[in-house]
Amino acid sequence: MAPAGGGRLVRGGRVVARVLLVWVLAVGALNLLDTWLTGFSMPEWWQPTVCALLFGLLSAVVWPLVLRVALPVAVFTLGIGSFLLLGVGVLAISFAVPGVVVTDLGTAMVVAVAVAGLGSVVSSVVGLDEDELFFRRAARRGARDGTACDDTIPPGVLILQVDGLGIDTLRRAVRTGDMPAVARMLDDGSHRLTPWHTDWSSQTGASVCGILHGDNDDILGFRWYEKDRDRVMVCSSPEDAAEIERRHSDGRGLLAVDGAARASLFTGDAAHTSLTMSALPLISGAGRRGRGRDGVGAGYYAYFANPANALRTGVGALVDVGREISAAVRQRRAGVWPRVSRGGFYPLARAGTTVIARDVVVSAITEDMLAGRAVVYADFMGYDEVGHHSGIERFDALAVLRGIDRQIGRLHRATQLAPRRYQIIALSDHGQTQGWAFADRFGESIEAVVGRLCGEPQPDPRRGSHSESSRPAESWPVDAVLAEASSGGGPIARRLRARVELAGAAADRRRTPSGAPGAVTRVAPGVVVVASGHLAIVSFTEHEGRVELETIEREFPELLPSLVDHPGVGFVLVRSAEFGPVVLGRDGLRRLATDVVIGDDPLVPYGPHAADLVHRVDGFPHCGDVMINSRYDPGRDEASPFEPHVGSHGGLGGSQSRGFLLQPADLPPPGEIVGAEALHEVLRGWLTHLGHPEPSADRTSVRGSAV
């Protein structure tokens, strides 16, 4: 009977048919290569038959043994090196079979690639599901060894993260048929869909750290400035990711008990990791060997042991590069706005996330299921990457989403055949809100705006790095923005300027000294601006600790009035000596300590949880002196990100804050989920409900001694 969710099962003589068909086609391919390929000769009729048989034995028996020794060659070349090794094998076969001539290694590699590719083609022709074959072999082995699936142990859990997919986009994709596997899981009643609300910092660093470790305090954005160290922390930096995990891990993460982390920013205290950013500093040295970690080969062996996988993934990556170039050209010809530059290295980077990383991650998950690991957390990054550059619901982004959906369906089928029972939970770390990039819409980046308002601007760090060299005529020119600000602007800007004028008679409005150059680029002397999607953080480096509103008004009198009046700024968080944390908007303000609102509440467009989420960030040790959130337009459901993206996230406003959670229907309902730490508690509760043990309270954090 077919497993839930549909899919093919290996039946009858399909495996035998595959072997025979590959052999026959290999013989035909060798005959064609003998005719077409210079430097390759098989003059006798029987030689292609014998060589095809020997090549099959090489691939099935000898090759996996060789790769155990030569694995780094395959890993560090994404499988390309495996064909070099197979070429050596083809040369060896030519020496073993009398009369066969292969003149050089290059010719041998061409033969190896041609024959290896037949395996993938034939699997598709006969409808063979490699996962089903893989797990049926494991089941037979388990039955022989007496280690077959034990129904008394808790089911394993696969937690599949679709990076950047908001629940609104997911629901539309289910309705339109772009995610049929997820639709089947919902239609047959096996799963149900629940929204969850992210933190103010709606980005992977804060979300994944909160989900896996139950703690994301002081993670302000994907990047943020730490004044005490004069350093910008970046979640995608291996060293910074390791430091972030060291700060937040207590050794009891979600994956601490027999868990695995695949393509994640953080390990969740898992003993098995691959493509995980915080674990990369452990690849060399003693850390790599500690605590049974998989090391650099994790998840790669099963994938690259079959050279056809490398060929299939390589071809898929080249096809995706072509798709990206075609999609970019179509956008330009159709005059689609907003859009950003999609040239340079990006097409290759896109293929790395949408094809190469995806395939390796699925292979690693399959290995984890074969090993019977308790909890696996894996991130599918491709949709987020394409959404940034293309748009959240444009055709090529939805095409990537369909590919991820196929992998979810594939893994769902595999759970029916794995040696251990498995449940699938899918979720997103955040959504995305679409809009025209701030620098393109207003003619200068947020860094340049702050630098100019602080009196001594430096060269715009984003000039020339965003969408197009010219902007449409309907864009808002910066001159209009400056004219509006200089004429008084909104009521809050007028009030701020009035405060400065009143204070000016009694106080010396001195400017901060230029000071010595710092390690981090200043947009003006003593001023650092760091942008993360829809959030920008301003720090005044020549003051220790948090700089209060009154000091900012005295030293940079035009900064706050012009920011709150800027049409690309939604609200600004500052700390007042008199009133504590204050959120400023164009037409009103909100004092978070007392919830007093003067004028229009600037947080209303950002949802009912905005005040609590912003207030929480105000208490972070490294909270910026000025926190800027982009303006969100509810009518058009769009906002202008401070980075050169079309779909973006990182702050509050629209779909970026609304993630999804797809759970098995037999698990307890989670209720309302606000913040990644709350989502961690839900997942932890489900693991306990399924019978998974709690991690030991005295377990020493793996990260603590490694960084």
Side-chain angles (χ1 to χ4, degrees):
M1 185 174 69
R8 301 178 297 263
L9 287 173
V10 180
R11 297 187 182 95
R14 188 172 290 176
V15 176
V16 175
R18 177 184 185 274
V19 172
L20 292 176
L21 188 56
V22 168
W23 190 8
V24 170
L25 290 180
V27 171
L30 290 175
N31 278 304
L32 290 176
L33 290 171
D34 181 25
T35 303
W36 295 340
L37 187 62
T38 302
F40 179 60
S41 174
M42 307 181 79
E44 302 294 334
W45 66 268
W46 55 269
Q47 291 168 335
T49 304
V50 173
C51 287
L53 177 62
L54 291 177
F55 191 87
L57 292 174
L58 173 69
S59 300
V61 180
V62 180
W63 171 248
L65 299 176
V66 172
L67 198 62
R68 289 185 184 276
V69 177
L71 178 63
V73 175
V75 170
F76 291 116
T77 62
L78 295 176
I80 296 174
S82 64
F83 290 106
L84 175 64
L85 298 176
L86 275 180
V88 174
V90 170
L91 281 176
I93 291 174
S94 71
F95 295 142
V97 179
V100 174
V101 176
V102 179
T103 57
D104 52 42
L105 181 58
T107 302
M109 289 181 63
V110 172
V111 174
V113 170
V115 177
L118 291 172
S120 298
V121 173
V122 172
S123 293
S124 300
V125 169
V126 301
L128 182 66
D129 190 314
E130 295 284 356
D131 295 336
E132 292 168 4
L133 176 62
F134 186 70
F135 283 122
R136 283 184 178 276
R137 287 174 176 171
R140 288 196 297 269
R141 185 169 63 247
R144 289 196 306 268
D145 300 340
T147 59
C149 180
D150 184 358
D151 289 336
T152 64
I153 64 173
V157 178
L158 305 182
I159 304 176
L160 309 179
Q161 175 180 304
V162 185
D163 204 312
L165 179 59
I167 190 167
D168 303 320
T169 300
L170 172 62
R171 285 171 171 157
R172 282 190 285 271
V174 167
R175 289 196 300 268
T176 59
D178 288 303
M179 298 193 75
V182 171
R184 285 193 298 269
M185 295 163 73
L186 294 171
D187 291 342
D188 65 18
S190 67
H191 286 71
R192 57 173 172 244
L193 191 62
T194 302
W196 77 278
H197 198 290
T198 69
D199 301 278
W200 184 7
S201 181
S202 55
Q203 49 82 27
T204 305
S207 293
V208 172
C209 193
I211 291 169
L212 293 183
H213 291 286
D215 178 11
N216 62 4
D217 275 1
D218 208 27
I219 301 179
L220 295 159
F222 197 75
R223 54 187 68 82
W224 71 91
Y225 177 69
E226 295 191 344
K227 191 182 297 186
D228 52 349
R229 301 196 301 155
D230 191 29
R231 177 182 175 88
V232 173
M233 295 287 288
V234 183
C235 291
S236 59
S237 160
E239 292 77 14
D240 289 346
E243 171 62 17
I244 292 167
E245 184 158 359
R246 185 194 66 79
R247 296 177 184 182
H248 294 86
S249 170
D250 61 0
R252 303 177 68 248
L254 195 68
L255 311 179
V257 180
D258 192 26
R262 307 301 182 193
S264 179
L265 277 179
F266 307 109
T267 70
D269 296 317
H272 309 279
T273 66
S274 61
L275 299 180
T276 298
M277 196 63 64
S278 65
L280 290 183
L282 302 178
I283 285 178
S284 61
R288 174 182 169 183
R289 298 184 293 272
R291 305 188 70 89
R293 288 185 174 270
D294 296 343
V296 70
Y300 285 91
Y301 177 76
Y303 195 76
F304 289 115
N306 183 353
N309 289 342
L311 182 63
R312 180 169 55 245
T313 297
V315 171
L318 290 176
V319 170
D320 196 70
V321 169
R323 287 173 179 163
E324 164 55 28
I325 295 172
S326 173
V329 171
R330 287 177 62 179
Q331 272 196 352
R332 283 180 172 272
R333 286 180 175 175
V336 173
W337 287 94
R339 69 173 185 259
V340 296
S341 175
R342 297 167 63 172
F345 183 71
Y346 170 67
L348 297 176
R350 165 179 157 154
T353 58
T354 58
V355 178
I356 297 173
R358 180 201 66 195
D359 289 354
V360 173
V361 165
V362 171
S363 175
I365 296 171
T366 305
E367 283 289 301
D368 291 328
M369 294 169 70
L370 180 63
R373 293 187 178 118
V375 190
V376 181
Y377 193 97
D379 186 2
F380 292 96
M381 302 172 285
Y383 171 76
D384 186 69
E385 180 71 20
V386 177
H388 284 328
H389 292 81
S390 177
I392 62 176
E393 292 178 1
R394 290 175 178 164
F395 73 94
D396 51 332
L398 293 177
V400 173
L401 204 53
R402 287 193 292 272
I404 294 173
D405 178 80
R406 282 194 294 272
Q407 301 307 318
I408 293 175
R410 175 184 174 188
L411 292 169
H412 190 216
R413 293 193 300 272
T415 62
Q416 315 302 313
L417 296 165
R420 178 177 184 167
R421 293 176 299 137
Y422 276 92
Q423 300 258 32
I424 283 186
I425 297 171
L427 55 82
S428 61
D429 48 347
H430 52 77
Q432 293 191 50
T433 299
Q434 187 159 303
W436 193 357
F438 184 97
D440 291 335
R441 186 170 189 177
F442 304 111
E444 58 182 346
S445 68
I446 189 65
E447 296 95 330
V449 169
V450 173
R452 172 171 51 75
L453 294 172
C454 289
E456 296 185 48
Q458 307 299 308
D460 187 343
R462 294 195 188 276
R463 177 61 62 189
S465 67
H466 35 83
S467 299
E468 310 289 333
S469 59
S470 61
R471 297 179 292 118
E474 64 268 25
S475 66
W476 293 7
V478 68
D479 291 343
V481 177
L482 294 175
E484 179 179 331
S486 63
S487 66
I492 298 303
R494 292 196 296 270
R495 181 171 179 152
L496 289 168
R497 288 191 176 91
R499 282 168 51 90
V500 171
E501 291 169 0
L502 289 173
D508 177 19
R509 294 186 299 169
R510 67 176 182 83
R511 293 295 310 281
T512 56
S514 60
V520 178
T521 300
R522 272 64 169 158
V523 299
V527 183
V528 169
V529 180
V530 179
S532 291
H534 290 277
L535 182 69
I537 305 170
V538 181
S539 300
F540 303 107
T541 63
E542 291 162 8
H543 294 276
E544 294 183 0
R546 189 80 172 273
V547 179
E548 295 171 333
L549 178 149
E550 292 81 2
T551 302
I552 298 172
E553 289 180 320
R554 183 175 64 249
E555 299 188 2
F556 304 102
E558 273 302 308
L559 178 61
L560 295 179
S562 296
L563 283 178
V564 299
D565 260 348
H566 196 293
V569 172
F571 66 85
V572 172
L573 170 67
V574 291
R575 174 76 66 84
S576 167
E578 182 178 1
F579 300 109
V582 179
V583 176
L584 305 172
R586 175 181 169 82
D587 298 312
L589 62 84
R590 180 168 181 163
R591 297 169 184 164
L592 296 177
T594 59
D595 275 337
V596 170
V597 175
I598 299 175
D600 296 336
D601 186 348
L603 294 179
V604 166
Y606 302 91
H609 306 294
D612 291 336
L613 296 173
V614 173
H615 199 177
R616 176 180 181 239
V617 170
D618 177 76
F620 287 174
H622 291 104
C623 181
D625 299 323
V626 181
M627 304 284 291
I628 308 170
N629 199 98
S630 68
R631 179 178 177 271
Y632 172 64
D633 181 354
R636 298 192 61 181
D637 189 25
E638 69 173 22
S640 293
F642 299 129
E643 292 186 270
H645 292 157
V646 178
S648 193
H649 51 88
L652 289 172
S655 302
Q656 63 185 310
S657 300
R658 296 192 290 270
F660 79 88
L661 178 62
L662 183 71
Q663 66 171 94
D666 56 358
L667 293 178
E672 186 178 29
I673 305 171
V674 180
E677 293 180 358
L679 182 53
H680 170 88
E681 293 303 318
V682 169
L683 296 173
R684 173 72 75 192
W686 285 344
L687 293 178
T688 302
H689 175 81
L690 292 171
H692 290 254
E694 291 278 344
S696 174
D698 59 356
R699 185 178 182 270
T700 303
S701 170
V702 175
R703 323 289 340 138
S705 60
V707 179

